[in-house]
Structures are given as C-alpha cells and as structure tokens.
Amino acid sequence: MLATTGASWPHWSQDGKYIYFSDFKALLRLRIDDRQIEQLAAFKDLRLAAGYTGTWIGWAPDDSPLVLRDTGIQDIYALEWQTP
C-alpha cells in the first residue's frame, strides 16, 4: 500500500514519480519514492460542477490539473480562439 487516503481521478505523472489525485477537498499528489502526499491546490472557494457521475477532474499531458468549475447558468461567456 502506498498511502491511506481517499482518492479519486488518479493519474500517473509523465515521469512516473507521482500519482496525482483528488480527495474532493483538494488536488494532491503522492510522491512514489517516499510516499509523501503534497497538497497542490484546495477547493475551499471553488464550486465544482457536478453531473450524474459527480464532479470531474482531469489531467493535461503536462500534468497540470483540469477542473470543471460551476459558474452558474445566468452568465454568458465568449471565448475567441485563434490557432496558429
């Protein structure tokens, strides 16, 4: 056993030195070599969007977190994206 904690959305780091995960209160990572858990970010003031499977957290190819945030249904946002 690497650690005793609740973990969801686990993801191996690209270098294989960490397992990134969430405990629904924060984004965390477990360092494999010494089994230390580090908190990367807390969800204290962040409303996570929930669907029929609960909240969703993902990881980009560079190991940066992707979080689906609930911004409400009354605001309209626009995003202009230009590709090279």
Side-chain angles (χ1 to χ4, degrees), residues 10-79:
H11 167 76
W12 277 99
S13 65
Q14 295 300 313
D15 60 9
K17 295 180 181 181
Y18 300 94
I19 298 175
Y20 292 89
F21 63 96
S22 169
D23 68 355
F24 293 109
K25 293 182 278 184
L27 292 174
L28 307 154
R29 73 178 178 181
L30 170 68
R31 195 170 39 236
I32 300 301
D33 63 352
D34 62 2
R35 300 179 181 175
Q36 292 298 307
I37 296 176
E38 303 171 61
Q39 180 175 312
L40 303 175
F43 296 145
K44 179 182 167 195
D45 297 320
L46 182 65
R47 287 187 351 207
L48 297 177
Y52 68 92
T53 60
T55 57
W56 178 85
I57 297 165
W59 305 93
D62 67 352
D63 296 327
S64 60
L66 303 170
V67 179
L68 189 58
R69 185 174 70 120
D70 182 359
T71 61
I73 59 172
Q74 64 276 9
D75 297 327
I76 299 173
Y77 293 91
L79 174 66

